[in-house]
Amino acid sequence: MRHFPSCQVLNIRDNLYMVDCGEGAQVQFRRMRLKFSRLNHIFISHLHGDHCFGLPGLLSTMALHGITGSVTVHTFQEGVEQFKRFMDFFCPVTPFELRFNAILPEQGIVYEDNGITVSTIPLSHRVPATGFLFAEKQKLRHIVPEAVSRWCVPHHFMNSLRQGADFVTPEGLTIPNAELTKAPDPSHSYAYCSDTSYSKRVIKAVEGVDWLYHESTYAEDNAPLARKRGHSTAREAATVAHEAGVRHLILGHYSKRYHDNSILLKEAQDIFPNTMLSDEGRIFDLNKE
Amino acid sequence: MRHFPSCQVLNIRDNLYMVDCGEGAQVQFRRMRLKFSRLNHIFISHLHGDHCFGLPGLLSTMALHGITGSVTVHTFQEGVEQFKRFMDFFCPVTPFELRFNAILPEQGIVYEDNGITVSTIPLSHRVPATGFLFAEKQKLRHIVPEAVSRWCVPHHFMNSLRQGADFVTPEGLTIPNAELTKAPDPSHSYAYCSDTSYSKRVIKAVEGVDWLYHESTYAEDNAPLARKRGHSTAREAATVAHEAGVRHLILGHYSKRYHDNSILLKEAQDIFPNTMLSDEGRIFDLNKE
């Protein structure tokens, strides 16, 4: 077995968000020296074992480590029932509050905080399945120190400035925000789409995202099998990326029949050059590229 | 995380018997190039996650691989209920017959075939727990070809000879079995004891076995913690081996606080020199030593 089952962790300003939790997720999580204490949300795309069988072990280990606060598992109602019952038996007491949030594939926003929204992406698989779109909210504008000194903007107004307000001087003169601030850092978006066959609805949902992870279980040699089993070829993943106008594409969820995944990369890059292969432990810096 | 959770596989004449099935068992099983088709029995010592959370993944992967025949999981009634319900949802159809055998810690024999018996060993842990004693039945005696030729023993009598019967010639002369056969190969026994604190009942149950696996979670520096948490120190494991008069001792189930398990080995060998450390992927040949 070359690959672990599916699990990804997004680090957004030191908050960790896990997407899918295949068997062995806790092992990889610790190998990569990630901190359990920063993990408060786990999103499950669908209820196949290779996407969620690591959940009981991960949660039990977090309990053993004395993690406090709360951990919320976002999954379909049937998954809530299965995992709740399983955990109630095997790990009835956790130092953190274990919450389950029942979601629907077509729900839209399933989670929101000050910095991000997480929305569902309806996928097309053999069982109900959803992708997740992580979108950073617009960030605060940067203060231009010389400009705010020149106009004597009071300290208590800085937050309003960062949010885009114009400043009115005591004399009644309006200073446009653009004179006092610079544009905020860009807000990134990341879409996770696995497992799914090629789908126009997915294209619509991921339109213009910065980073798209799209499964590519098979190469073109197995296109009929991909369709039959609700999966995609690398070429189909690249077509989604191209048609949705995303900036970067990451492939993954490779069938074990490919001993060298470079065939998948090549087939995808023919259509969408800015494609990369995910792999165990590989880190992508969404700010850098 | 240095160690995978508990899982062992006994190979007895190419039949594989798994004892405990911690998360990642299927990964290790395949890494060691063992054959799913030879695995028909899985024994679970107790219902803590680090001894059984690999079960759903292993069974699902066996189903994906099209394994036929039957697979029996031997575990306590509550485990039968939990895993049956979980598998009914996540993997309702398997090409093999999935059986559950509800066992009790004091049951005695839980499995028997032509070659072996598997019996429970009542352990002393925080929850009900049982070890397992694998005992090969007495093997068939070896025919001495020259002797059977000399006495013209007919072919149909060979099986009786192998089982120890004397031969009576047509003239009524009794030839003692010992003249016609040689002693059978030795029958081995292997006892698996995890998780448990030091226990006189365990000593009694494993008396005289060839190979004893006994947990040694802690060194002497944590003896009070061992007692509190229902575990053993390496010295206690060695004491069990010594008092039970076993031939070989294998340690395991090490606390992650020990970065170097040689301290456990040393403390055990002070009492029982023929001690070895188990480790991920390590193979012990029970015939050789």
Side-chain angles (χ1 to χ4, degrees):
Chain A
M1 188 140 112
R2 293 176 50 239
H3 292 291
F4 272 86
S6 295
C7 178
Q8 297 190 2
V9 176
L10 256 81
N11 180 338
I12 303 177
R13 290 180 249 179
D14 278 339
N15 292 313
L16 305 180
Y17 302 87
M18 184 177 282
V19 190
D20 282 339
C21 186
E23 186 177 349
Q26 61 160 319
V27 176
Q28 286 293 96
F29 193 93
R30 296 171 72 182
R31 275 195 190 142
M32 298 193 67
R33 302 188 177 281
L34 296 171
K35 283 196 194 331
F36 286 134
S37 59
R38 309 304 299 171
L39 178 63
N40 300 110
H41 292 277
I42 303 169
F43 300 85
I44 303 293
S45 66
H46 64 296
L47 298 170
H48 277 164
D50 56 330
H51 291 256
C52 61
F53 278 177
L55 209 42
L58 174 74
L59 295 171
S60 303
T61 297
M62 288 177 74
L64 264 183
H65 278 67
I67 299 302
T68 53
S70 73
V71 178
T72 304
V73 178
H74 307 262
T75 182
F76 302 145
Q77 180 60 37
E78 284 176 307
V80 171
E81 287 162 22
Q82 290 296 328
F83 286 109
K84 201 171 168 329
R85 194 154 45 193
F86 203 75
M87 291 302 293
D88 280 348
F89 177 77
F90 281 104
C91 192
V93 181
T94 54
F96 54 87
E97 190 192 346
L98 177 58
R99 297 175 187 163
F100 287 93
N101 177 31
I103 64 173
L104 293 167
E106 326 250 343
Q107 181 169 336
I109 292 179
V110 292
Y111 171 74
E112 181 168 14
D113 62 24
N114 289 336
I116 65 164
T117 58
V118 183
S119 313
T120 54
I121 303 171
L123 303 178
S124 172
H125 194 43
R126 306 195 302 278
V127 297
T130 180
F132 295 101
L133 174 60
F134 290 77
E136 282 189 308
K137 293 182 176 176
Q138 188 169 319
K139 295 176 186 169
L140 295 176
R141 299 180 65 82
H142 292 287
I143 302 288
V144 179
E146 313 82 59
V148 298
S149 296
R150 187 181 324 128
W151 293 104
C152 300
V153 182
H155 187 70
H156 67 78
F157 197 73
M158 292 302 164
N159 254 340
S160 304
L161 268 196
R162 286 197 193 93
Q163 286 165 24
D166 296 336
F167 175 62
V168 182
T169 64
E171 294 79 24
L173 186 64
T174 296
I175 317 300
N177 185 281
E179 262 186 48
L180 301 162
T181 65
K182 282 194 296 191
D185 294 333
S187 295
H188 297 288
S189 51
Y190 178 83
Y192 173 94
C193 300
S194 184
D195 297 354
T196 187
S197 50
Y198 173 83
S199 157
K200 292 278 184 198
R201 290 174 74 199
V202 170
I203 294 172
K204 192 160 182 300
V206 303
E207 213 170 278
V209 302
D210 298 316
W211 291 80
L212 168 65
Y213 169 84
H214 195 290
E215 71 129 288
S216 61
T217 307
Y218 300 107
E220 277 310 296
D221 58 344
N222 281 294
L225 190 57
R227 265 182 288 283
K228 188 177 155 210
R229 301 195 53 78
H231 287 299
S232 301
T233 64
R235 186 181 297 232
E236 286 170 330
T239 305
V240 171
H242 174 73
E243 296 187 1
V246 310
R247 292 176 58 206
H248 309 82
L249 171 64
I250 303 172
L251 301 181
H253 201 270
Y254 318 118
S255 163
K256 67 176 163 37
R257 75 192 61 205
Y258 302 109
H259 294 287
D260 176 3
N261 296 322
S262 63
I263 175 144
L264 301 170
L265 183 64
K266 202 194 155 305
E267 289 188 3
Q269 284 180 332
D270 283 348
I271 289 167
F272 190 83
N274 198 9
T275 302
M276 284 153 277
L277 293 176
S278 64
D279 201 357
E280 272 70 14
R282 181 159 180 193
I283 297 169
F284 296 91
D285 184 343
L286 307 195
N287 293 309
K288 262 197 180 154
E289 298 186 65
Chain B
M1 187 138 112
R2 291 177 52 238
H3 292 291
F4 272 85
S6 296
C7 177
Q8 296 189 1
V9 176
L10 254 80
N11 180 337
I12 303 177
R13 290 179 248 181
D14 277 340
N15 293 313
L16 304 181
Y17 303 86
M18 183 177 282
V19 189
D20 282 340
C21 186
E23 187 177 349
Q26 61 159 318
V27 176
Q28 286 293 97
F29 193 91
R30 295 171 72 182
R31 276 197 190 142
M32 298 193 68
R33 302 187 178 282
L34 297 172
K35 283 196 194 332
F36 285 133
S37 58
R38 309 304 299 171
L39 178 63
N40 299 110
H41 292 276
I42 303 169
F43 300 84
I44 303 293
S45 66
H46 64 296
L47 297 170
H48 277 163
D50 57 329
H51 292 254
C52 60
F53 278 177
L55 209 42
L58 174 74
L59 295 171
S60 303
T61 297
M62 288 175 75
L64 264 183
H65 278 67
I67 299 302
T68 54
S70 73
V71 178
T72 304
V73 178
H74 306 261
T75 182
F76 301 145
Q77 180 59 36
E78 285 176 306
V80 171
E81 287 162 22
Q82 289 296 330
F83 285 109
K84 202 172 168 329
R85 195 153 46 194
F86 203 75
M87 291 301 294
D88 280 348
F89 177 77
F90 282 104
C91 192
V93 181
T94 54
F96 54 88
E97 190 192 346
L98 177 57
R99 297 175 186 163
F100 287 93
N101 177 29
I103 64 172
L104 293 166
E106 327 251 342
Q107 181 169 337
I109 292 177
V110 292
Y111 172 74
E112 180 167 14
D113 62 23
N114 288 337
I116 64 164
T117 58
V118 183
S119 313
T120 55
I121 303 170
L123 303 178
S124 172
H125 194 42
R126 305 196 301 278
V127 296
T130 180
F132 295 101
L133 174 61
F134 290 77
E136 282 189 310
K137 294 183 175 175
Q138 187 170 317
K139 295 175 186 170
L140 295 176
R141 299 181 65 83
H142 292 287
I143 302 287
V144 178
E146 314 81 59
V148 299
S149 295
R150 186 182 323 128
W151 293 105
C152 300
V153 181
H155 187 68
H156 66 77
F157 196 73
M158 293 300 165
N159 254 339
S160 305
L161 269 195
R162 287 198 192 91
Q163 286 164 24
D166 296 336
F167 176 61
V168 181
T169 65
E171 296 79 23
L173 185 65
T174 296
I175 317 298
N177 186 279
E179 261 185 48
L180 302 161
T181 66
K182 281 193 297 191
D185 294 333
S187 297
H188 298 288
S189 52
Y190 178 81
Y192 174 92
C193 299
S194 185
D195 299 354
T196 188
S197 49
Y198 173 85
S199 157
K200 292 279 182 197
R201 291 174 74 197
V202 170
I203 295 171
K204 194 161 181 300
V206 303
E207 213 170 277
V209 301
D210 298 315
W211 291 81
L212 169 65
Y213 170 83
H214 195 290
E215 72 129 289
S216 60
T217 307
Y218 301 108
E220 277 309 296
D221 56 344
N222 281 294
L225 190 58
R227 265 182 289 282
K228 187 176 156 210
R229 299 194 53 78
H231 287 300
S232 301
T233 64
R235 187 182 298 229
E236 286 170 331
T239 304
V240 170
H242 174 73
E243 295 187 0
V246 309
R247 292 176 58 205
H248 310 81
L249 171 64
I250 303 173
L251 301 181
H253 201 270
Y254 318 117
S255 164
K256 68 176 164 36
R257 74 192 61 205
Y258 303 107
H259 294 288
D260 176 3
N261 296 322
S262 63
I263 174 138
L264 300 170
L265 183 63
K266 202 196 154 304
E267 288 187 5
Q269 285 181 331
D270 282 348
I271 288 167
F272 191 82
N274 198 7
T275 302
M276 283 153 277
L277 292 176
S278 64
D279 201 358
E280 272 70 13
R282 181 158 180 194
I283 298 168
F284 296 90
D285 184 342
L286 307 196
N287 292 310
K288 261 197 182 155
E289 297 187 65

